Amino acid sequence: MTLDKNFDPAAIEARWYEHWETKGLFRPERDDREPFTIVNPPPNVTGSLHIGHALDNTLQDIIIRHERLKGKDALWVVGMDHAGIATQMVVERQMNERQQKRTDFTREEFVAKVWEWKEESGGTITGQLRRLGCSMDWSNERFTMDEGMNEAVLKVFVDLYNDGLIYRDKRLVNWDPALKTAISDLEVETVDTKGSFWHFKYPLADGVSLDDGRDYIEVATTRPETMLADMAVAVHPSDERYKSVVGSEVVLPITGRRVPIVADEHADPALGSGAVKITPGHDFNDFEVGKRAGFAAGEMLNMLDGEANVCQTDDGLVPDEYIGLHRFRKDGVNGARELVVQRLKEQGFLIPHIAKNKEGEEVEHDAEPRTIATPFGDRGGVVIEPWLTDQWYVDAETLAQPAIEAVKSGAIEIVPKSWEKTYFNWMENIQPWCVSRQLWWGHRIPAWFDDNGKIYVAMDEAAAQEQAGAGVSLARDPDVLDTWFSSALWPFGTLGWPENTKDLERHYPNDLLISGFDILFFWDARMAMQGIQFMKDVPWKRLYLHGLVRAEDGSKMSKSKGNVVDPLGLIDQYGADALRFFMAAMESQGRDIKMDDKRVEGYRNFATKLWNASRFCEVNGIGASKTLAAPAASLPVNRWIISEVVETQRALDKALADLRFDAAANTIYHFTWDRFCDWYLELIKPVLQGEDASAADETRIVAGWVLDQIIVMLHPFMPFITEELWHAMAAENGGRDYDLIVAKWPEPKAAVDAQAKAEIDWLIKLVSEVRSTKVELNIAPGTKMTAHVRDGDDDLLAKIARQNAALDRVGRLETISFDPAPEGASAQIVVDGATYVLPLAGAIDVDAEKGRLNKALEAAQKEAKSLSGRLGNPNFVEKAKPEAVEKARADLADKEAEAERLQAAIDRLG
């Protein structure tokens, strides 16, 4: 097998992935080995690979391939989430296109249609993960609604209910009127929107007045429609303006409802009038105020139905003209908000907002314009309505305590450690977790009600009927469980729980979870709670939280901005290996990643560099190594490169153990590009082409071994090109005994040779200095030169003798003499204490070169002075765009460095 001249990722990626999967190499039989386990955050069955998935899964694959190469029983659990809301939305959208709706079918018929969609169209992302190179255990792919997970979900619900940790309660929830279901706080996105702030008069009842003589209390609101369900007015206990009326009542306009004035610290005396209207059935803060005022949840008034249209309150006081109106203007039709404002204005209860126009004249407006932080559902896309309803709740506060202690004790290590504070803050202030959703697709809640509303929770209807007794009519709760309820069981449910399986015994707890910080509370914290509750052990030993992938300018990617990057497009253009390496190299703990196509292209060039280096080896008779340990070596250059392998492997292992993906990627990158390709292969050319056959044979063996180590160490980052090269380099010697994916991690069994390292490092520094001098002085790179050494010793003389061929071939130094340099212009360089004088006669016109350098120096200094002046101007720094200021600083640094380099070149010429 001869390597093609050009590296083409597309030609090898699909072929190798199919090979690995077909041969079962993602999960080789290693029951006798140490287990290592990662569970993949299950992507939505409706999802497609986005750039965040590419980062998350690349990091996981790097770790799992590394552990597999170290010989462990490495399991990467894979599966998909049934994505209750998202999937139901997709299927209903398709029905709408056929002029159908969900309610045209029975629940069972609709659910069957969702399963049909899942089999036909769901799971697109699994093929895309394969394109990325993810070495997951596809043979045991799971789904959050498969039979095993369904049993686990039901058992967890029943057990939590029996332990008093799940209960049914009437509370306010985030209600999505578009989806007609409750959603969690974490699924609410707050968006700043333009709105209004209205001020109203609420008349005091029974002739009562304030100390200042007013017969009303002023209240203000951004949601005037909710006054139809107001139940109180709150004032601060210390507010002297209202102390005399606390306990009195106001008569609400429109409804005529009499409501009390209550003292509560929720009211801020410094904000507006200091009095707050309280609508406990439609505001989370008001709900708590209402409870403190003595209103039971069941007594709190609700004025909206599930679509956020006005309905009659329990006291029947909402006028008929409001019934059926939407809460506010919708589809061009005014709603309850607009009508409430109109009626209050007509009745004299609206307090106008006074503002001045451009001419300075006072003008009345109905309301004060405000920018309002408004909650939207992340999927329904409409304003969320706090809604009072009966739902199922998990006692998260109780479950959180052991999960908090697990992090404090070190049983769970969070990396980076800086995320611990965020974790503790959320867990220590955790609210009851609403787990019921008003959907048809999902795990149906295993609860049945009799005609009196009594609840029976059981694994199935037969068990519920046994609890209720024969002849008792039962109806099952129509709600389903929050999608995150099932995915919280992922670390043990996917391993066979509640059965005590072999996989569960070997692979729980998992070793590591890699997750975006944005799902720390959605998923990670809930896994910690459920894992400890049901397995009596943490779900994983370490939790690594990575950042987000942002646009090149640092902004968040969004479709509306048009800056979303398609990872599949990058794979098509540069190959999966290049994208993976970019993700690893840019993943720095505690920081987000800025997308940069040029960097991805640069890592494609890195792959090409390795490909060409392998072709060089192939042409020069260098093939695959036959040993895991480093071969014997006598030449300094070979002892040096073996030492470099030893140090690189140590650094790489440490970086991966510390989850420093950027350090790991940069370690193998610089060794491969700088040490092996740029230096070692150049330095051994004279040996390979020399007359010493035994030196050439040794070098071929060492070079083949080193290339093997590079291929293995690079494999977790760039699996496709490395697998191709692994086999190609052995093609002339009968092939490999096994595929690279299940090969062995390097074990050089060699020490670092300090003497060889010092010698070759000296050689590299000397050659680099000679090359830099030529560039500075405008001398052609291929020009051969002579060097005269000052301050040298016998050791240096011996090194020069040993490296004479490399100095001539690579350094273009045909002679290195210890005799004094001839008179005339020369350049001087210093390496390791010795001075090397390079006569310039015949190499350049010294006077002309001095003139060129001085002219260039003057231009660079002039540019630097101009840039420095601009940056010293406060007007520029404060008013210019940040990117313009940053560019000016970078340009100044470049010009100053250029001036320094030119001055050094002039100084060399004397």
Side-chain angles (χ1 to χ4, degrees):
M1 176 184 179
T2 302
L3 287 170
D4 292 338
K5 182 178 180 181
N6 297 316
F7 168 53
D8 178 12
I12 64 173
E13 290 179 357
R15 170 164 51 85
W16 278 118
Y17 198 93
E18 183 181 12
H19 172 85
W20 293 328
E21 187 171 2
T22 302
K23 291 187 69 175
L25 299 178
F26 297 147
R27 185 81 193 285
E29 290 292 333
R30 291 179 174 177
D31 289 351
D32 58 335
R33 308 284 185 87
E34 179 186 349
F36 185 90
T37 313
I38 295 179
V39 295
N40 177 254
N44 287 352
V45 67
T46 57
S48 294
L49 189 75
H50 58 60
I51 201 71
H53 288 134
L55 169 63
D56 194 68
N57 287 281
T58 292
L59 301 182
Q60 292 176 72
D61 198 41
I62 287 169
I63 295 297
I64 210 73
R65 285 181 184 270
H66 179 230
E67 297 295 341
R68 190 184 294 120
L69 287 167
K70 288 166 70 176
K72 294 183 183 177
D73 177 18
L75 169 62
W76 188 6
V77 175
V78 63
M80 289 187 296
D81 192 290
H82 65 277
I85 293 175
T87 305
Q88 184 160 319
M89 283 177 67
V90 168
V91 175
E92 288 199 62
R93 196 176 299 128
Q94 289 184 351
M95 285 182 166
N96 293 338
E97 291 170 2
R98 297 191 294 267
Q99 312 304 314
Q100 296 175 327
K101 55 183 184 291
R102 171 168 53 96
T103 50
D104 292 342
F105 303 88
T106 65
R107 183 183 188 123
E108 291 71 23
E109 289 170 340
F110 176 79
V111 169
K113 288 185 178 295
V114 180
W115 278 107
E116 286 175 15
W117 173 88
K118 188 258 180 186
E119 296 305 318
E120 293 172 5
S121 306
T124 299
I125 196 169
T126 61
Q128 296 167 338
L129 290 170
R130 288 173 166 90
R131 286 203 61 193
L132 188 62
C134 298
S135 56
M136 297 157 160
D137 184 17
W138 295 107
S139 62
N140 292 300
E141 183 180 355
R142 300 303 302 269
F143 183 53
T144 50
M145 280 186 62
D146 65 28
E147 187 175 343
M149 282 297 295
N150 188 60
E151 183 181 358
V153 168
L154 294 179
K155 178 168 174 53
V156 165
F157 188 96
V158 172
D159 287 358
L160 288 176
Y161 178 81
N162 290 335
D163 291 341
L165 295 170
I166 276 187
Y167 56 91
R168 192 165 170 81
D169 195 11
K170 184 182 286 290
R171 298 173 60 93
L172 278 186
V173 297
N174 295 302
W175 185 262
D176 189 319
L179 303 176
K180 293 187 277 295
T181 181
I183 62 173
S184 74
D185 292 345
L186 301 171
E187 294 164 302
V188 176
E189 295 179 343
T190 300
V191 179
D192 285 340
T193 59
K194 290 182 179 179
S196 299
F197 198 47
W198 288 270
H199 294 254
F200 302 134
K201 299 176 182 177
Y202 277 7
L204 290 157
D206 304 321
V208 173
S209 62
L210 299 176
D211 292 345
D212 62 7
R214 282 182 294 157
D215 61 356
Y216 65 88
I217 284 183
E218 178 183 341
V219 296
T221 181
T222 59
R223 302 167 65 213
E225 68 280 4
T226 60
M227 65 89 59
L228 298 174
D230 277 358
M231 297 186 70
V233 171
V235 296
H236 196 275
S238 65
D239 196 331
E240 295 293 337
R241 293 170 294 178
Y242 302 112
K243 276 191 174 181
S244 64
V245 296
V246 170
S248 301
E249 294 180 326
V250 297
V251 180
L252 296 179
I254 299 178
T255 63
R257 183 180 303 119
R258 293 172 67 102
V259 303
I261 300 169
V262 300
D264 193 282
E265 292 184 352
H266 169 64
D268 183 353
L271 188 62
S273 69
V276 183
K277 61 185 283 301
I278 302 299
T279 319
H282 292 282
D283 183 277
F284 288 100
N285 289 321
D286 291 4
F287 179 78
E288 299 301 326
V289 175
K291 286 199 299 183
R292 290 193 291 269
F295 297 114
E299 299 170 342
M300 294 178 184
L301 297 177
N302 175 51
M303 54 162 283
L304 297 174
D305 63 16
E307 295 180 342
N309 297 324
V310 177
C311 62
Q312 187 55 265
T313 53
D314 284 349
D315 61 8
L317 294 177
V318 177
D320 290 345
E321 65 175 333
Y322 294 90
I323 305 301
L325 291 179
H326 193 61
R327 51 187 169 163
F328 45 66
R329 186 176 177 83
K330 178 183 177 185
D331 299 331
V333 179
N334 283 344
R337 175 174 300 177
E338 290 72 25
L339 185 57
V340 164
V341 172
Q342 178 185 338
R343 293 290 181 256
L344 290 176
K345 185 176 182 180
E346 291 170 352
Q347 296 168 20
F349 296 112
L350 175 69
I351 301 173
H353 172 65
I354 308 298
K356 290 185 178 181
N357 61 19
K358 292 180 180 179
E359 288 73 33
E361 301 167 336
E362 290 190 345
V363 180
E364 286 191 0
H365 300 278
D366 286 351
E368 174 189 353
R370 284 276 184 97
T371 297
I372 301 167
T374 306
F376 284 80
D378 63 354
R379 293 194 181 277
V382 301
V383 176
I384 292 304
E385 186 65 44
W387 203 46
L388 193 62
T389 180
D390 292 306
Q391 302 284 347
W392 289 93
Y393 292 88
V394 170
D395 180 1
E397 183 180 3
T398 298
L399 291 178
Q401 301 314 307
I404 292 170
E405 183 55 35
V407 174
K408 287 182 176 179
S409 70
I412 294 175
E413 176 193 3
I414 297 180
V415 182
K417 190 176 177 64
S418 56
W419 279 107
E420 283 187 4
K421 183 178 179 181
T422 305
Y423 175 86
F424 290 138
N425 184 59
W426 191 75
M427 294 288 269
E428 288 166 358
N429 296 281
I430 200 166
Q431 297 299 306
W433 175 16
C434 176
V435 294
S436 45
R437 298 292 182 266
Q438 289 63 54
L439 303 170
W440 281 2
W441 172 245
H443 297 279
R444 194 166 178 183
I445 290 174
W448 285 260
F449 300 88
D450 64 19
D451 293 339
N452 297 317
K454 186 177 179 181
I455 302 171
Y456 305 89
V457 172
M459 290 292 290
D460 54 39
E461 188 170 3
Q465 191 68 63
E466 186 176 341
Q467 290 180 30
V472 176
S473 177
L474 296 180
R476 187 169 185 176
D477 192 318
D479 292 351
V480 300
L481 286 163
D482 176 14
T483 297
W484 295 100
F485 187 90
S486 51
S487 55
L489 318 183
W490 203 240
F492 56 94
T494 53
L495 298 174
W497 188 90
E499 299 298 321
N500 190 24
T501 64
K502 180 180 177 183
D503 272 349
L504 186 64
E505 185 179 338
R506 278 181 60 75
H507 293 281
Y508 190 94
N510 309 159
D511 291 270
L512 172 67
L513 178 72
I514 293 179
S515 159
F517 72 81
D518 52 332
I519 57 172
L520 173 60
F521 309 127
F522 270 121
W523 190 46
D524 307 342
R526 289 165 176 174
M527 281 190 287
M529 291 189 282
Q530 298 286 45
I532 295 171
Q533 174 69 16
F534 287 93
M535 297 298 297
K536 308 308 176 190
D537 200 351
V538 296
W540 8 258
K541 301 161 191 171
R542 302 176 87 191
L543 168 60
Y544 180 81
L545 297 169
H546 60 74
L548 302 177
V549 183
R550 296 185 175 274
E552 193 169 356
D553 62 0
S555 63
K556 190 172 182 179
M557 291 187 188
S558 71
K559 291 179 181 177
S560 61
K561 292 180 181 177
N563 62 356
V564 174
V565 174
D566 176 16
L568 297 177
L570 292 172
I571 290 173
D572 290 339
Q573 190 170 2
Y574 303 114
D577 285 334
L579 177 60
R580 289 167 59 103
F581 204 92
F582 167 81
M583 291 300 182
M586 299 299 286
E587 171 51 29
S588 180
Q589 288 184 10
R591 299 180 62 183
D592 289 341
I593 291 175
K594 290 183 181 179
M595 195 62 229
D596 186 347
D597 285 18
K598 286 295 181 186
R599 291 290 293 265
V600 182
E601 183 180 9
Y603 293 125
R604 159 66 192 267
N605 295 341
F606 171 58
T608 300
K609 179 97 170 176
L610 177 61
W611 185 269
N612 291 337
S614 302
R615 289 184 67 242
F616 169 85
C617 291
E618 192 177 55
V619 168
N620 284 277
I622 298 167
S625 176
K626 296 189 180 300
T627 65
L628 191 61
S634 60
L635 295 181
V637 70
N638 289 330
R639 287 158 35 218
W640 165 75
I641 198 66
I642 289 171
S643 298
E644 291 289 321
V645 169
V646 171
E647 291 186 334
T648 297
Q649 188 219 337
R650 287 176 185 168
L652 185 57
D653 277 338
K654 184 177 188 311
L656 289 174
D658 293 341
L659 301 175
R660 299 297 316 217
F661 292 95
D662 52 348
N666 290 326
T667 295
I668 187 62
Y669 176 91
H670 288 297
F671 172 69
T672 303
W673 188 299
D674 302 340
R675 309 309 260 178
F676 181 73
C677 294
D678 280 358
W679 285 109
Y680 180 69
L681 294 185
E682 287 298 314
L683 293 174
I684 65 174
K685 284 178 181 177
V687 181
L688 296 175
Q689 296 163 9
E691 296 179 357
D692 188 338
S694 95
D697 287 345
E698 174 192 302
T699 300
R700 287 189 178 91
I701 291 170
V702 171
W705 179 82
V706 174
L707 182 57
D708 265 12
Q709 309 316 298
I710 288 172
I711 289 170
V712 176
M713 289 190 289
L714 187 57
H715 179 72
F717 305 87
M718 291 182 148
F720 294 110
I721 186 175
T722 50
E723 188 74 77
E724 181 78 4
L725 295 176
W726 173 259
H727 289 280
M729 297 311 296
E732 297 298 318
N733 299 317
R736 303 278 190 179
D737 294 333
Y738 40 77
D739 291 300
L740 174 58
I741 192 174
V742 288
K744 296 177 181 176
W745 191 247
E747 293 179 21
K749 293 185 172 65
V752 173
D753 189 323
Q755 183 180 359
K757 272 183 65 64
E759 181 164 324
I760 301 305
D761 285 346
W762 160 82
L763 174 62
I764 290 171
K765 281 188 280 186
L766 178 56
V767 171
S768 298
E769 286 292 329
V770 170
R771 288 174 174 175
S772 295
T773 300
K774 286 181 174 180
V775 171
E776 289 171 2
L777 300 180
N778 210 25
I779 300 173
T783 301
K784 290 222 171 186
M785 302 189 76
T786 298
H788 295 263
V789 182
R790 290 205 307 258
D791 308 319
D793 55 18
D794 290 343
D795 286 341
L796 179 59
L797 185 63
K799 282 194 291 190
I800 291 171
R802 285 192 297 270
Q803 301 302 330
N804 185 59
L807 288 166
D808 183 20
R809 171 70 182 267
V810 182
R812 310 303 286 169
L813 290 173
E814 56 185 352
T815 304
I816 298 183
S817 169
F818 276 63
D819 296 332
E823 295 294 324
S826 63
Q828 298 184 14
I829 56 179
V830 179
V831 176
D832 292 350
T835 301
Y836 301 80
V837 182
L838 306 176
L840 299 176
I844 55 169
D845 182 330
V846 175
D847 290 337
E849 185 59 23
K850 279 185 176 180
R852 184 188 72 82
L853 290 170
N854 277 303
K855 187 176 180 180
L857 174 61
E858 186 179 340
Q861 289 174 333
K862 185 178 179 181
E863 286 242 20
K865 184 178 180 181
S866 173
L867 287 163
S868 180
R870 194 186 315 171
L871 288 166
N873 182 350
N875 285 334
F876 172 73
V877 175
E878 293 168 11
K879 296 179 181 179
K881 291 183 178 179
E883 53 266 33
V885 176
E886 193 59 39
K887 184 178 186 305
R889 286 177 177 147
D891 289 346
L892 174 60
D894 288 344
K895 289 301 174 184
E896 288 177 338
E898 183 183 352
E900 190 176 327
R901 179 182 61 78
L902 290 166
Q903 186 62 59
I906 293 168
D907 293 342
R908 285 187 196 280
L909 292 174

